Amino acid sequence: MDKNEANNSALKIIPLGGLHEIGKNTCLFEYDDEIILLDAGLAFPTEAMHGVNIVLPDTTYLRENRHKIKGMIVTHGHEDHIGGIAFHLKQFDIPVIYGPRLAMAMLEGKLEEAGVRDRTEIRTVLPRDVVRIGKNFLVEYIRNTHSIADSFTVAIHTPLGVVIHTGDFKIDHTPVDGEKFDLQRLAEHGEKGVLCLLSDSTNAEIPGFTPSERSVYPNLERVFSQATGRLFVTTFASSVHRINMILDIAKKQNRVVTIVGRSMLNLIAHARNLGYIKCEDNLLQPLHAVRNLPDERVLILTTGSQGESMAAMTRIANKEHPHIKIRQGDTVVFSANPIPGNTIAVVNTIDKLMIQGAKVVYGRDKGIHVSGHGCQEEQKLMIALTRPKFFVPFHGEHRMLVKHAETAQSMGIPAENMIIIQNGDIVELTEDAIRVAGKVPSGIELVDTTSSGMVSAKVLQERQRMASEGIITIAAAIDWNGKLLAKPETHLRGVVTTVERSLLQTWVKQRIEEILTVRWTEFAPGGEAADIDWGGLQGTLERELQRSIRRELQCQPSVTLLMQIPDEPPVKVADGRRRRTRTAAQVAS
């Protein structure tokens, strides 16, 4: 943290993710010696992040201040708001996590799977519930409307005043589940006085209102009725309202639904248990049970609306799914728009499905998807109801934050009372002022879930280099006197070069011999075998070979040296000559 002058009586708001980007929404509030977290999400990797499955915010500041953490508040159950919690709990405890029933049911499963369920206490909340965390924070949950059921805005009561964090929101006057935005409670807070509003900026560039989720229903119904064969539908697994509509239309049109995709299965199971999804048991059937049904009676609901590499729809498009193949006459409906950064993956998936004979229905003009985030008029209404003294646009890329700030200014909030911030900025808030008072580490942490390990920047660079330039592996056997025992073996993978392999092997042998001749004494200074620094020698050889090979080949492949040495060092006998020690097996023979 920068050592700028800090006001100990100020409230500090520190976003670790979610600003100048979409995803990994994570924010902390600090007052005196207490910290509470608001959400802890993940983001998905770019194509350049080879072998990375999950992107998390840098939590160095939280690890260094773990003794201050009093609890967490969760606004809703989307992965970009709860997906990082299990990973963080492996590094520091969170005494208690409060959140909606659906989000907490999903989180509990994640924590059990990660083996960290005992690192926190989970407590569910209902609309207008108020919870105390530590001495300085009183948090009120206010029902909002979003693309997932059980979503909340929070009013955080602090010693300095009330801070409202909208969470992700739209203002849907006709929600599918009938749970309307508690605008009355927002207005009551606005009447009493709101110190600061932190507001969702995702759709800040779009004029007007976001259509109601219910507006999708007749369009989906029309598209489904036009499908003459099997019907595939992919949407966000967490879109409980959308799934409810899909199931209702399937029942009307006499289709049986089978669910494919682990995240979809898990969420629907939790949502049904909690009553957020209601359907007859016989409507949902396992995949094997629908194989003998006529195609026009089958609806397959899958994950993969964002072209995720391991999701069901992507695997189907790539002909990699073990049980499902696209057939001529199938209809595939993408009831979701690509998140920024996913467009190419989605388009590639659509192309592959079409090539295999499917009719694919997608695009904003079809009316089969609406956003879960409010547009400019809803953002204005949020400001009008809460009437904040200070304003900070949250959750969005830079241009969205700028546009949202312009909207707030048009609503009468002075420019000096709002700031556009970045991840890691320390927002210092007092009763009379708002400013950026320093910065904490704000990079990213990369996770390879196949190995349950973090991917360092160095490892990622190595993976990127191997992917773009290939790898050269050199195996060399060296004796106790610093001489090659045999000609090194050189193997190229993914390396483009005009140099003949035999010539490269000869050149590598000469280069190793040169290095050994010049530098051997650095690693065997006393001439004793027991004192040889083999690790240092291997590192030096690898670096020198890498430098030389890149210069000669005019490319940047990774170079790995596999160095072999004899098993046993030679020992001296009485006459001073050296001989090798024999193993027990050799003595026995």
Side-chain angles (χ1 to χ4, degrees), residues 296-548:
E296 64 272 13
R297 289 209 56 214
V298 176
L299 188 154
I300 300 174
L301 182 59
T302 81
T303 55
S305 66
Q306 298 302 302
E308 308 97 311
S309 60
M310 295 305 295
M313 183 54 70
T314 309
R315 295 173 66 200
I316 293 168
N318 291 334
K319 302 181 181 180
E320 294 173 351
H321 197 282
H323 307 298
I324 302 174
K325 306 296 178 189
I326 290 294
R327 299 198 296 259
Q328 195 76 30
D330 289 340
T331 297
V332 181
V333 179
F334 277 73
S335 185
N337 292 332
I339 293 171
N342 292 347
T343 303
I344 293 175
V346 173
V347 168
N348 287 341
T349 300
I350 291 171
D351 279 348
K352 291 173 183 176
L353 292 167
M354 286 183 167
I355 289 169
Q356 294 173 54
K359 175 186 176 183
V360 184
V361 183
Y362 66 97
R364 298 177 188 274
D365 60 318
K366 302 298 189 298
I368 53 177
H369 175 70
V370 292
S371 175
H373 301 268
C375 295
Q376 289 177 5
E377 293 305 313
E378 288 145 289
Q379 291 169 353
K380 290 177 183 177
L381 182 54
M382 176 63 70
I383 294 168
L385 289 171
T386 57
R387 292 187 281 176
K389 182 175 184 178
F390 300 106
F391 177 75
V392 183
F394 249 61
H395 295 183
E397 295 172 349
H398 180 73
R399 65 187 185 281
M400 303 169 186
L401 304 178
V402 170
K403 191 63 182 177
H404 201 175
E406 291 174 0
T407 298
Q409 198 166 349
S410 75
M411 294 290 293
I413 298 179
E416 61 270 20
N417 282 16
M418 64 181 78
I419 51 176
I420 295 174
I421 58 175
Q422 300 183 31
N423 292 332
D425 282 350
I426 302 171
V427 177
E428 196 170 80
L429 186 65
T430 67
E431 294 177 351
D432 303 312
I434 187 170
R435 66 170 187 151
V436 175
K439 197 170 182 66
V440 305
S442 58
I444 57 176
E445 296 175 352
L446 308 176
V447 182
D448 182 347
T449 55
T450 59
S451 61
S452 300
M454 305 302 290
V455 180
S456 68
K458 181 181 178 182
V459 169
L460 182 61
Q461 288 172 358
E462 290 174 349
R463 289 180 176 183
Q464 290 170 339
R465 188 178 298 121
M466 284 189 282
S468 61
E469 302 283 355
I471 183 171
I472 297 177
T473 305
I474 300 167
I478 300 172
D479 68 14
W480 297 96
N481 297 312
K483 305 294 182 184
L484 283 171
L485 290 170
K487 187 175 181 178
E489 293 184 11
T490 304
H491 300 277
L492 284 69
R493 294 290 184 272
V495 179
V496 178
T497 178
T498 58
V499 178
E500 292 287 340
R501 180 179 170 186
S502 59
L503 181 61
L504 179 61
Q505 287 185 317
T506 300
W507 181 84
V508 166
K509 175 178 180 293
Q510 291 173 349
R511 187 71 186 105
I512 292 176
E513 288 175 336
E514 289 172 7
I515 298 169
L516 290 173
T517 300
V518 174
R519 304 189 63 175
W520 174 251
T521 54
E522 293 180 27
F523 306 101
E528 293 294 329
D531 297 331
I532 296 174
D533 179 8
W534 292 109
L537 175 63
Q538 180 170 3
T540 297
L541 284 171
E542 192 168 80
R543 284 192 299 273
E544 292 295 331
L545 285 168
Q546 185 160 270
R547 188 178 297 116
S548 300

Side-chain angles (χ1 to χ4, degrees), residues 87-105:
F87 297 96
H88 300 330
L89 282 171
K90 294 179 180 180
Q91 302 180 66
F92 49 83
D93 288 348
I94 301 173
V96 60
I97 300 176
Y98 292 96
R101 293 191 304 155
L102 180 58
M104 294 299 96

Side-chain angles (χ1 to χ4, degrees), residues 271-292:
R272 290 190 76 197
N273 288 338
L274 294 170
Y276 293 113
I277 289 180
K278 299 174 182 176
C279 67
E280 298 172 0
D281 289 343
N282 61 4
L283 179 65
L284 301 175
Q285 296 292 330
L287 186 59
H288 66 82
V290 302
R291 293 188 186 281
N292 297 324

